[in-house]
Structure formats: C-alpha cells, structure tokens
Amino acid sequence: MIGLTVNGILLAIVLIIIVVLIIIFVTGKREQLPIEKEFFKLGTINHLRVYGKKAQKAVDKAAERVAEIEDKMSVFKEFSEVSRINKNAGGDFQRVSSDTYFIMKKSFEYSNLSKGAFDPTIRPIVALWGIGTKQTRVPSDNEIKDKLKLVNYRNIILDEDKNAVKLKDKNQHLDVGAIAKGYAADEVRRIFQEHKIKSAMIDLGGNIFAYGRKLNGEPWNIGIQNPLSSRGAFVGMISVVNKSIVTSGNYERYFTDHGKRYHHIMDPRTGYPCENGIISCTVISDNSIDGDALTTCGYVMGLKEGYKLIESIEGVDAIFVTEDKKVYVTSGIKENFKLLDKEFSIGQDEMF
Ligand code: FAD
Ligand code: MG
C-alpha cells in the first residue's frame, strides 16, 4: 500500500513538472512574439511594437492614454483644455488637469532656456500659414507683423496651487505641438513599465522611444532620416538602450509655393519658417518631453547656439543636419554615431 502511494506521489510530481514546463514553454513563446498596434492620433500614425506577457493590455492602455492626451491638449479640438485657455485669453485663469499643467510648466521652462526660440504662444503664426491644413498660403509681411505681436511666452501665467493657466492678452493662443507628443511617448513608456514590458519600440509619428533593449539583448539601432530624401533613407545610425530619439525636420510638414518650400517650424522672432541652414535636429535623451522640446529649441536657435545648448545639458545629445550636407554630432554620441550616406560628411564643430 505504502509503496503504491509513494509511486503515485512520484508520478503526480512528474506530471506537475511536465505541466509547469509546458506552461513555461508556451508563455515563453508568446513573449517572443510582439503585439503590434497602429492608430491615428496627434495628427499622425502611431505604431507600438511590444514584447511581454501583458503586452496586449499594455498597448491598449497606451493607445487610450494617447487619445486622452490629445483630448486635453489638441488645438484642433474645440473642447480641449488648451482650446479653453485660448478662448479665455486675456480673461480668467482656467483650471486644467495635471497633464496640461505639467506641459505648460515645461513649455515655459524651455521657452526661457531657449530665450524664446521655443514659444508655445506661436499659434497665431502657425494658423496664419495654415501649415498642416488644406488652407496653406504665404501671408503678407503686414499680416505676419500683426500676429507676431501676440507671440510672447512671458504672457503665460501659471498658478501652481490651483493647477490653473491663463494667457495675459486677448487673442493670444497656445500650441503645444512641439512638446506634447514627447509627453505622450513618456506616458506610453510609463504604462509599459507598469505592465513589466521587457522590450518595445514606441513610435508616435517619428517621435521614437526605444524601450529597454531588443529582445535578444542587443541595443536598438535607430536610423536618422536623410532630410533630403524620401522616408526610410538614412543619413546615419546610432545604437541606444532605453532612450528617446526625436527629430524636428523641414521635411515633416510643409507646402511649396512658386518653387519655395515653407515648413512648420517657425522662428518666433520673424514669424517665418526657420531658415538658418539646419534641415533637421535630432535629440537623444532619457525623457521624450525634453527631446521633443529641445529639437524645436535646437532647430530654431541655429547650429552654433543650438549645439552649445545641447552640450550644456547633462545626458542629452543631438545630431544636426545642415543643408550643405554636413552632420554635427554632440560629444556624448560621437563614438556611437555611424554615418551611412557618403554624400554627407561630419561637420567640424571646434568653432562652437
Ligand atoms: P516639432 O518640431 O516638434 O514641432 C513643430 C510644431 O510646433 C509646429 O507644427 C507648430 O505647431 C509648433 N511650432 C512651430 N514653431 C514653433 C516654435 N518656434 N516654438 C514652439 N512651437 C512651435 N495635426 C493635425 O494635422 N491634426 C490634428 O488634429 C492634430 N492634433 C494634434 C494634437 C496634439 C495633442 C498634438 C501634440 C499634435 C497634434 N497635431 C495635429 C500635430 C501638430 O499640429 C504638429 O504638427 C506636430 O505635433 C509637430 O510635431 P513634430 O515633432 O513634427 O514637430
Ligand atoms: Mg519638438
């Protein structure tokens, strides 16, 4: 009797081990396959590729969160919090969510840091040019001068105790298009961390977050778009682990009039699209909100000032591409950057 029971117990143990091994094998296999999701939000196509047991839940939650951020911050939505601040410009403080307050606080910081090269009150100028809409046109100098009077980030008044924001003057309008995509990418990253995601590629319309490492443990290789060529042609490449890579380029949104290209990154000093020789600025950083804001800062400040700004910030690097086919890489990633297109050459940055 006793012998039989011992055999029975042994058999049960062996069976349990086999079942456990099958479960580990099956779930392990499932973790090797990515869950992918593509969705249109923030005026662009977003793509998530995620590995991990809870990948499906994580991508669904992430897409919901991006939609929520759009609802709060879009200037294209009449009832967003940013639209409400705009409608009440010159009037009372508007209470907003901690998301929108955080974006406004960060926007103000980057406006200060870049001495107004980054300015979220640029909306009247962006709207005048109609970039991103079907009504694009080259406005007259007088129209531009008139709208420029409304562009002044110092008129963003923040009340931290009440999470409230107001614009000082009537007709001033905010546009967080140069920073909110980065915040959305950081929020996707946070959700992935909460779901214990191992490895993922977050792509919010070119605003990339290379999460963790590739599944095989190697770093991610990220191509830097050749601004003079079609999508998918790279000027160079960098290898990263758990980094945000954001690019502002003159090829992202533009229209052509009488053979001249007018793009969407505006110089708040002139009211015209920035023309300083830069055609793209890529920032590599730990947080995407910083990368997004800094690409716009770097682009508008110009090569020398932009380069110096990025070098002055710990843990942040940049790649500037200029129209004379030079590529300038800041010190932290010089060794890492690999030039791929032989029509371009590495620019000399000693003079900076
Ligand atoms: P970046 O270089 O990061 O930013 C450029 C954008 O910032 C410009 O398009 C302009 O909006 C603004 N800007 C220009 N110059 C400056 C400056 N000097 N300082 C500060 N800001 C500047 N697009 C649509 O077509 N339809 C939509 O419904 C729509 N909804 C959106 C909702 C949200 C919440 C966000 C964040 C974006 C949305 N967009 C939409 C896209 C948006 O209008 C911008 O074009 C886009 O975010 C630009 O991103 P980028 O990384 O290419 O450029
Ligand atoms: Mg930006």
Side-chain angles (χ1 to χ4, degrees):
M1 266 311 262
I2 291 167
L4 256 183
T5 313
V6 170
N7 278 343
I9 291 170
L10 278 177
L11 189 65
I13 291 171
V14 170
L15 280 174
I16 289 168
I17 291 172
I18 291 170
V19 170
V20 168
L21 285 176
I22 290 172
I23 291 170
I24 290 171
F25 181 74
V26 170
T27 46
K29 274 273 177 224
R30 207 174 336 127
E31 276 184 66
Q32 306 294 311
L33 294 173
I35 294 290
E36 305 216 26
K37 192 173 183 100
E38 201 164 83
F39 55 99
F40 192 86
K41 280 284 161 197
L42 313 176
T44 189
I45 297 166
N46 305 281
H47 190 111
L48 306 175
R49 182 153 43 91
V50 186
Y51 297 88
K53 265 187 241 163
K54 295 185 188 165
Q56 187 62 58
K57 207 168 162 208
V59 290
D60 292 343
K61 283 243 178 271
E64 270 172 36
R65 181 72 174 125
V66 173
E68 188 187 352
I69 290 169
E70 172 173 306
D71 287 346
K72 286 177 178 172
M73 299 180 200
S74 175
V75 288
F76 301 91
K77 290 196 165 166
E78 204 187 332
F79 299 106
S80 74
E81 294 178 347
V82 169
S83 293
R84 180 155 54 79
I85 299 169
N86 290 347
K87 253 181 258 163
N88 290 285
D92 294 336
F93 269 105
Q94 299 296 310
R95 275 183 187 264
V96 291
S97 60
S98 49
D99 289 323
T100 302
Y101 190 82
F102 179 63
I103 285 281
M104 291 325 305
K105 198 173 154 189
K106 277 283 195 178
S107 295
F108 193 80
E109 280 170 25
Y110 278 110
S111 300
N112 257 330
L113 187 71
S114 66
K115 301 187 182 76
F118 176 97
D119 190 327
T121 64
I122 196 76
R123 182 72 200 153
I125 292 288
V126 174
L128 187 62
W129 288 84
I131 290 166
T133 73
K134 290 191 179 97
Q135 283 85 41
T136 49
R137 69 183 179 97
V138 181
S140 71
D141 286 346
N142 278 341
E143 285 176 292
I144 290 173
K145 267 193 203 127
D146 196 40
K147 296 291 181 200
L148 258 189
K149 291 179 200 149
L150 299 166
V151 179
N152 183 356
Y153 72 88
R154 291 179 194 84
N155 286 359
I156 302 171
I157 323 279
L158 301 170
D159 182 339
E160 182 121 39
D161 295 334
K162 295 196 176 110
N163 255 18
V165 183
K166 77 171 188 173
L167 287 164
K168 194 160 156 262
D169 292 341
K170 209 170 177 321
N171 296 326
Q172 283 200 295
H173 276 180
L174 295 168
D175 178 337
V176 293
I179 188 167
K181 252 200 288 178
Y183 178 62
D186 287 339
E187 282 299 284
V188 171
R189 184 243 333 242
R190 183 181 60 74
I191 289 167
F192 286 1
Q193 284 167 339
E194 279 173 14
H195 287 78
K196 310 231 171 343
I197 294 304
K198 283 184 177 169
S199 166
M201 182 53 70
I202 302 166
D203 178 356
L204 306 187
N207 193 117
I208 306 278
F209 199 102
Y211 177 105
R213 290 171 174 269
K214 278 164 53 177
L215 207 58
N216 62 9
E218 287 176 12
W220 297 100
N221 292 324
I222 307 292
I224 308 301
Q225 169 73 28
N226 175 350
L228 301 173
S229 190
S230 56
R231 275 200 185 269
F234 300 128
V235 64
M237 194 182 75
I238 49 160
S239 297
V240 292
V241 174
N242 216 27
K243 289 277 180 193
S244 158
I245 305 100
V246 185
T247 302
S248 278
N250 70 348
Y251 56 90
E252 298 278 1
R253 276 174 182 237
Y254 64 89
F255 70 97
T256 317
D257 187 87
H258 291 86
K260 189 169 163 47
R261 179 188 285 208
Y262 297 94
H263 64 84
H264 70 141
I265 304 158
M266 298 291 162
D267 187 333
R269 292 159 297 196
T270 64
Y272 283 83
C274 248
E275 291 214 33
N276 53 20
I278 294 179
I279 49 178
S280 83
C281 171
T282 299
V283 171
I284 298 99
S285 55
D286 289 330
N287 293 312
S288 209
I289 188 168
D290 301 316
D292 195 1
L294 283 168
T295 56
T296 312
C297 294
Y299 197 112
V300 180
M301 289 170 85
L303 186 56
K304 200 171 162 185
E305 291 306 314
Y307 191 98
K308 278 204 288 199
L309 175 75
I310 301 293
E311 283 288 26
S312 73
I313 307 172
E314 180 76 29
V316 175
D317 276 289
I319 300 162
F320 294 86
V321 182
T322 53
E323 60 193 359
D324 59 356
K325 297 192 177 172
K326 293 272 174 17
V327 184
Y328 296 83
V329 184
T330 57
S331 53
I333 49 161
K334 270 212 167 82
E335 302 297 312
N336 183 340
F337 179 77
K338 202 165 143 197
L339 190 71
L340 295 177
D341 189 324
K342 298 297 173 226
E343 282 197 18
F344 288 78
S345 60
I346 298 292
Q348 299 305 311
D349 50 34
E350 289 81 33
M351 72 260 198
F352 305 152

